[in-house]
């Protein structure tokens, strides 16, 4: 009897510790700029996103047509999230700037611009979309993600890109101003984006305002409320399609099939000089 009581008490204590650790997860990022409306989803609950909000591993962010968000990660990296985007912090492990890190982020749809802070050679920094995986050590790049394709543009440094599939082994390395489209068919040919498309991506991922001081010990409490039960999967009214943002509505590349932004058939002048610099750099 004593053994059984002790076992039950032990199991209860372990469960309590696990619950407490889950409820008090350490923050790994902070909202340092916020424009318009955005929301965070955590543990099947949601709340309006607030400036200064502390974010944890597993958090998902959504922005509406007015929403723009700038995040600073614990390692010093910065993420700009555009309007009508869905983004998740899968895993961020770091002891601070300049230390080894393991970072996995997810852009399900929308537009994103990232600046990866320098880190040790053993570090890993990946951003996934439904179609592509980008990996870097320290650089700046932009991503447009939609259901049919993902477009990646390097703004500085070098970025490795591969198709998002378990068996996918092919990858390419892109340098400044080079971009690539990734679809179910695989990696397209790398090309240099026209300046107007570079400018459109920069504008779509710009977050107005000034940065709030970064402090993972100081942030407003989120007013989380439980999410409603999910609708039945056979409910046709619940079948929402996510489309990629159309960066230039007047462009012929903006189509009505959910693949706005850049046309997968688009081609630009391709040069052999992958290290060529242009005026398409950005100020993050």
């Amino acid at each position: 009897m004593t053994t059984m009581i002790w076992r039950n008490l032990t199991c209860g204590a372990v469960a309590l510790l696990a619950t407490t650790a889950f409820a008090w997860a350490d923050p790994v990022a902070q909202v340092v700029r916020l424009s318009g409306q955005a929301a965070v989803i955590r543990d099947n609950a949601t709340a309006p996103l607030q400036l200064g909000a502390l974010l944890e591993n597993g958090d998902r962010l959504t922005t509406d047509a007015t929403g723009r968000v700038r995040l600073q990660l614990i390692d010093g990296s910065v993420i700009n999230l555009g309007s009508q985007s869905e983004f998740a912090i899968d895993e961020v492990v770091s002891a601070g700037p300049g230390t080894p890190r393991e970072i996995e982020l997810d852009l399900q749809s929308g537009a994103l611009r990232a600046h990866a802070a320098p880190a040790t050679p053993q570090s890993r920094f990946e951003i996934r979309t439904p179609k592509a995986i980008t990996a870097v050590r320290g650089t700046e790049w932009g991503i447009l993600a939609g259901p049919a394709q993902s477009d990646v543009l390097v703004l500085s440094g070098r970025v490795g890109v591969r198709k998002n599939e378990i068996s996918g082994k092919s990858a390419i390395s892109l340098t400044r101003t080079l971009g690539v489209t990734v679809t179910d068919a695989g990696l397209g040919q790398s090309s240099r984006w026209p300046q107007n498309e570079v400018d459109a991506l920069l504008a779509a991922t710009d977050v107005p305002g000034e940065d709030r001081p970064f402090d993972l010990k100081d942030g407003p409490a989120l007013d989380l409320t439980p999410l409603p039960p999910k609708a039945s999967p056979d409910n046709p009214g619940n079948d929402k399609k996510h489309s990629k943002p159309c960066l230039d509505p007047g462009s012929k590349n903006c189509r009505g099939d959910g693949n706005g932004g850049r046309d997968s058939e688009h081609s630009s002048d391709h040069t052999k000089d992958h290290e060529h610099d242009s005026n398409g750099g950005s100020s993050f």
Side-chain angles (χ1 to χ4, degrees):
M1 176 67 73
T2 302
T3 301
M4 183 176 297
I5 294 175
W6 176 251
R7 184 181 302 163
N8 290 338
L9 288 173
T10 302
C11 292
V14 171
L16 179 61
L17 287 172
T19 304
T20 303
F22 186 73
W24 296 95
D26 291 333
V28 296
Q30 186 172 31
V31 179
V32 294
R33 286 192 201 178
L34 177 62
S35 176
Q37 301 297 312
V40 58
I41 300 172
R42 177 185 297 168
D43 302 340
N44 204 37
T46 185
L49 200 61
Q50 299 182 49
L51 181 63
L54 303 179
L55 302 176
E56 305 170 359
N57 284 327
D59 283 354
R60 291 179 289 154
L61 306 183
T62 60
T63 58
D64 69 5
T66 69
R68 305 282 183 95
V69 180
R70 183 169 186 169
L71 308 177
Q72 183 169 336
L73 308 184
I74 192 172
D75 73 319
S77 298
V78 175
I79 304 294
N80 279 13
L81 191 63
S83 301
Q84 295 180 311
S85 297
E86 297 183 19
F87 172 81
I89 302 174
D90 290 339
E91 180 183 39
V92 174
V93 178
S94 172
T99 66
R101 67 184 174 203
E102 289 288 327
I103 295 178
E104 290 185 10
L105 308 174
D106 186 283
L107 179 66
Q108 189 65 28
S109 63
L112 173 154
R113 182 161 30 125
H115 174 81
T120 63
Q122 297 79 18
S123 297
R124 184 169 62 94
F125 191 124
E126 291 186 350
I127 300 180
R128 298 171 178 265
T129 75
K131 301 300 178 186
I133 299 175
T134 61
V136 300
R137 287 182 180 171
T139 189
E140 184 180 354
W141 73 110
I143 304 174
L144 297 172
Q149 69 183 61
S150 293
D151 294 293
V152 179
L153 172 68
V154 179
L155 298 165
S156 66
R158 186 180 295 271
V159 175
V161 184
R162 67 184 190 273
K163 186 179 177 184
N164 189 354
E165 60 181 1
I166 296 176
S167 60
K169 295 182 179 180
S170 62
I172 60 174
S173 180
L174 302 178
T175 56
R176 180 180 175 185
T177 74
L178 285 179
V180 68
T181 294
V182 187
T183 66
D184 284 336
L187 297 170
Q189 184 180 27
S190 62
S191 62
R192 203 168 303 282
W193 283 28
Q195 188 60 46
N196 66 310
E197 293 189 7
V198 175
D199 293 341
L201 175 61
L202 296 178
T205 54
D206 181 58
V207 184
E210 296 184 0
D211 283 1
R212 179 193 193 277
F214 179 74
D215 186 353
L216 291 184
K217 296 181 180 180
D218 178 27
L222 293 172
D223 185 18
L224 291 163
T225 58
L227 289 168
K230 292 184 179 179
S232 173
D234 59 359
N235 181 2
N238 194 50
D239 184 16
K240 295 182 180 180
K241 294 183 178 179
H242 304 291
S243 60
K244 187 192 311 180
C246 187
L247 301 185
D248 183 5
S251 169
K252 66 180 181 179
N253 294 328
C254 290
R255 307 180 310 202
D257 60 356
N259 295 323
R262 300 193 80 246
D263 192 329
S264 61
E265 299 299 324
H266 170 83
S267 62
S268 63
D269 292 337
H270 184 64
T271 175
K272 295 180 180 179
D273 181 14
H274 284 190
E275 299 297 337
H276 171 74
D277 284 339
S278 73
N279 295 323
S282 67
S283 58
F284 207 78

